[in-house]
Amino acid sequence: MARIHERAGPAITQKTQHIAPQYGFVLRFPDGKQDVTGIEYEDWHYRYVGPEIAQYMTAQGWALEELMSNLNNPAQ
């Protein structure tokens, strides 16, 4: 699948990633998280988790797996 920046340009990709959490979306396979997700960076792949969680995950720099891990093991 073509990446967003290949079709719309890097400015649109960056803008989308910046505003997505306000609307409850997180990038499913963020850049630099392949060791956590097992999947290479995909700039088009978003998941809806709700605005509050999306903004928290973004502030923490977490992928979905890291959120789930912290929910399951909050003491770590």
Side-chain angles (χ1 to χ4, degrees):
M1 179 164 286
R3 293 183 171 182
I4 291 173
H5 75 266
E6 291 172 354
R7 291 184 172 196
I12 297 296
T13 301
Q14 290 174 348
K15 178 73 172 177
T16 302
Q17 290 176 4
H18 179 73
I19 66 170
Q22 298 172 41
Y23 298 96
F25 291 90
V26 293
L27 194 57
R28 181 61 186 93
F29 302 110
D31 196 18
K33 293 289 184 169
Q34 183 176 356
D35 59 327
V36 175
T37 65
I39 304 293
E40 290 184 17
Y41 170 64
E42 294 182 350
D43 67 355
W44 57 268
H45 198 147
Y46 285 84
R47 288 285 187 245
Y48 183 80
V49 295
E52 187 175 341
I53 293 172
Q55 291 171 28
Y56 183 79
M57 286 176 62
T58 300
Q60 297 297 317
W62 286 351
L64 192 56
E65 286 79 4
E66 292 165 308
L67 173 70
M68 298 308 295
S69 176
N70 281 284
L71 288 175
N72 292 330
N73 303 304
Q76 291 184 3

